[in-house]
């Protein structure tokens, strides 16, 4: 999985420098963080709605969850790129949490997180 994330991160970085009139990613960066966050929120909402439909839905509904989750991950990667945060940092954090009880991990977080 990290291979595709690495490839996508590379393409996102290239597109960030592209002409905003010909690159969706470049246009998002030009519009700024608020627009990128708006897209992340929009995709999160669409993912939630698709998941709700898929709970008792058809294969098409389940495919919609996959498509919307891909959109959410994509826009999250654009957000990380805009903030200068490497996606590997997120993967490292997930790896750090692996094998730790979710309840224990949450309890160990600082109270302002």
């Amino acid at each position: 999985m990290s291979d595709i994330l690495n490839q996508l991160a590379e393409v996102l970085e290239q597109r960030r420098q592209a002409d905003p009139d010909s690159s969706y990613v470049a246009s998002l960066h030009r519009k700024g963080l608020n627009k990128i966050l708006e897209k992340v929120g929009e995709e999160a909402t669409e993912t939630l709605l698709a998941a709700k439909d898929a709970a008792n839905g058809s294969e098409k509904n389940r495919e919609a969850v996959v498509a919307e989750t891909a959109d959410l991950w994509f826009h999250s990667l654009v957000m990380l790129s805009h903030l200068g945060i490497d996606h590997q940092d997120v993967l490292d954090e997930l790896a750090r949490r692996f094998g730790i009880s979710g309840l224990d991990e949450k309890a160990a977080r600082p109270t302002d997180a």
Side-chain angles (χ1 to χ4, degrees):
M1 178 164 110
S2 67
D3 282 346
I4 190 65
L5 289 177
N6 289 333
Q7 291 172 11
L8 184 54
E10 190 174 309
V11 169
L12 288 176
E13 188 56 35
Q14 292 168 1
R15 300 262 170 87
R16 183 176 183 170
Q17 308 306 320
D19 178 4
D21 293 329
S22 63
S23 169
Y24 175 68
V25 171
S27 72
L28 283 175
H29 284 291
R30 176 196 260 173
K31 292 173 185 173
L33 182 60
N34 284 344
K35 182 61 176 178
I36 295 168
L37 296 176
E38 180 183 308
K39 288 301 296 180
V40 171
E42 176 186 316
E43 298 303 341
T45 299
E46 291 175 3
T47 301
L48 294 172
L49 294 172
K52 184 97 170 133
D53 290 344
N56 296 309
S58 65
E59 184 61 29
K60 186 175 180 177
N61 293 123
R62 296 175 66 76
E63 290 170 3
V65 174
V66 171
E68 294 300 343
T69 301
D71 289 346
L72 176 58
W73 288 10
F74 174 84
H75 286 89
S76 295
L77 289 169
V78 172
M79 175 195 67
L80 291 172
S81 170
H82 192 81
L83 295 170
I85 299 171
D86 191 310
H87 70 278
Q88 188 60 51
D89 294 342
V90 177
L91 295 175
D92 292 346
E93 177 61 14
L94 289 171
R96 183 192 69 76
R97 293 179 186 187
F98 194 76
I100 300 172
S101 159
L103 295 174
D104 291 342
E105 190 281 326
K106 188 171 182 178
R109 291 183 197 170
T111 55
D112 63 330

